Amino acid sequence: AQSVTQPDIHITVSEGASLELRCNYSYGATPYLFWYVQSPGQGLQLLLKYFSGDTLVQGIKGFEAEFKRSQSSFNLRKPSVHWSDAAEYFCAVGEDDYKLSFGAGTTVTVRA
Amino acid sequence: NAGVTQTPKFQVLKTGQSMTLQCAQDMNHEYMSWYRQDPGMGLRLIHYSVGAGITDQGEVPNGYNVSRSTTEDFPLRLLSAAPSQTSVYFCASRGGQGNQPQHFGDGTRLSIL
């Protein structure tokens, strides 16, 4: 069975500071891993995904994530956060992106 | 380009009523999925389809039916609504080639009284 754990329910970060969101997964084979962002009242938008190859993945809006097989992790990072990055972030795993298992999400608050 | 369109955006039902949530995409996508989102639980897959005429169950299919008679439409039916089905429902679609991103609709917020 596949599952995703996002240990942090809520993170508050100052504008301009760095951000790291944690994601741990359980999956029986080589996983496809995703990070999505959801703004209030909106659907989800794909930030980045990992299928294979380079374990450091670049995404949109200045985000990157690193796949670490030994730690079963896929943490999301951004060097300098902008106020517009306040949203809910979801990590997901699956054999393909049309049938995913999602984590419970991490809400990011950005303070001025 | 409308993308993924979900209707209605909001709905209130009484226990036992039936209802169909509509999902349409205009991108000729093969893959379509329905998820429900509940507080503190992320999204959970209800049903998905890999093409017209082909559907399969996800993680939480009980109480829901789907059909895929056309590529564009993937309606989700609640046969007899229950309060436990109060949730926000998202439809998503993706093209056939593996590197294409999945597109989500804006959701339907459903309350069952």
Side-chain angles (χ1 to χ4, degrees), chain A residues 36 38 41-46 49 51 88 90 96-105, chain B residues 31 33 35 37 40-43 45 48 50 59 90 94 98-102 104-106:
Chain A
Y36 286 86
Q38 184 182 34
Q42 303 285 316
L44 278 70
Q45 181 183 23
L46 179 68
K49 60 186 178 184
F51 283 174
E88 190 161 18
F90 293 94
D96 206 326
D97 64 353
Y98 62 88
K99 45 177 181 174
L100 294 172
S101 292
F102 284 82
Chain B
Y31 300 94
S33 307
Y35 293 88
Q37 183 178 28
M41 299 186 71
L43 279 75
L45 181 65
Y48 65 94
V50 300
E59 180 186 354
F90 286 99
R94 201 205 80 192
N99 207 29
Q100 295 187 29
Q102 185 167 216
F104 280 81
D106 288 338

Side-chain angles (χ1 to χ4, degrees), chain A residues 48-50 54-59 63-67 74:
Chain A
L48 48 81
K49 60 186 178 184
Y50 171 78
D54 192 347
T55 56
L56 186 61
V57 181
Q58 301 298 319
F63 285 93
E64 66 178 25
E66 185 172 13
F67 170 58
F74 189 57

